[in-house]
Amino acid sequence: MDYNSHTDAVVRVAVTLVNALTPGEQRGRPFPVPRDLGAAATGALRALRPSYREVTQAEGAQLAEVARRLRTVFTAVADGDLDRAAEQVNVLLAETDARPRLERHDGEPWHLHFHGLGGTMAGDWAAGCATGLAVVLGSEFSDRLGVCTAPHCDRVYVDVSRNGTRRFCSTACQNRVKTAAFRARTRG
Ligand SMILES: [Zn+2]
């Protein structure tokens, strides 16, 4: 992707939070709300940053609400409704009062963080993820957000491939669809 690596990183966080914390279907199976939202959120964030601190149950519940809101943006883009996606991101930016701030930590160079009101973990991630999605929607890559098109799967993805032809959340779903198509052909 062409945008900067921090934007890339927060968009990946948005994808990961939506996929870990919102109910629906995953790779052909029902995906219920995780019983332990704290553990689910911790696992999601540590998948991207292993040193991330443990998320409490209360924070996990707040992050699940953030994830529910973020999902609507992916759904709108997948429906081809960029207007609705942009509106939803604007509402999130306003609600979270996303404020840019240059920070330098962990040996990284100066980079932009986006904090929300109240200084809570969920508020900060909501502001950061909303800003990341805003950068994507405002760029030539606005159609790179998506919802898996495999049957019985509604996990989301960001397409960072060169040609932008991704349609599935995972290679598992891609293979499921390929196998089903192959079976249909050989049956015919
Ligand atoms: Zn899928």
Side-chain angles (χ1 to χ4, degrees):
M1 296 287 267
D2 209 21
Y3 41 78
N4 76 59
S5 63
H6 187 70
T7 303
D8 216 354
V10 286
V11 172
R12 277 173 211 274
V13 171
V15 167
T16 304
L17 290 176
V18 169
N19 286 343
L21 302 177
T22 63
E25 294 177 303
Q26 179 188 51
R27 299 173 196 176
R29 295 197 180 91
F31 186 88
V33 179
R35 214 168 296 161
D36 187 341
L37 286 169
T42 303
L45 291 168
R46 284 187 181 163
L48 300 168
R49 197 191 297 167
S51 64
Y52 206 84
R53 76 164 171 84
E54 195 161 317
V55 181
T56 67
Q57 190 66 28
E59 287 169 336
Q62 290 170 351
L63 281 169
E65 174 57 20
V66 170
R68 190 186 65 76
R69 303 283 304 278
L70 295 172
R71 174 180 276 285
T72 63
V73 178
F74 288 86
T75 310
V77 175
D79 291 345
D81 194 343
L82 276 184
D83 293 351
R84 181 157 54 95
E87 263 165 44
Q88 272 151 352
V89 168
N90 278 339
V91 169
L92 272 170
L93 286 173
E95 273 180 23
T96 59
D97 196 23
R99 286 166 295 154
R101 192 185 141 80
L102 279 168
E103 290 183 12
R104 189 171 61 173
H105 56 82
D106 299 324
E108 292 173 39
W110 286 104
H111 57 278
L112 266 184
H113 270 261
F114 290 86
H115 292 281
L117 277 175
T120 64
M121 176 193 277
D124 281 349
W125 278 124
C129 291
T131 306
L133 295 181
V135 172
V136 175
L137 287 180
S139 76
E140 62 185 301
F141 300 111
S142 58
D143 60 350
R144 293 298 187 96
L145 307 175
V147 179
C148 187
T149 58
H152 299 293
C153 186
D154 62 6
R155 301 299 94 182
V156 304
Y157 62 83
V158 55
D159 183 355
V160 294
S161 68
R162 185 190 292 260
N163 48 8
T165 52
R166 183 166 172 175
R167 293 193 296 129
F168 305 109
C169 69
S170 57
T171 48
C173 273
Q174 185 176 19
N175 290 338
R176 273 197 310 127
V177 169
K178 262 192 207 159
T179 306
F182 177 75
R183 285 211 191 103
R185 265 201 311 277
T186 50
R187 218 180 290 128

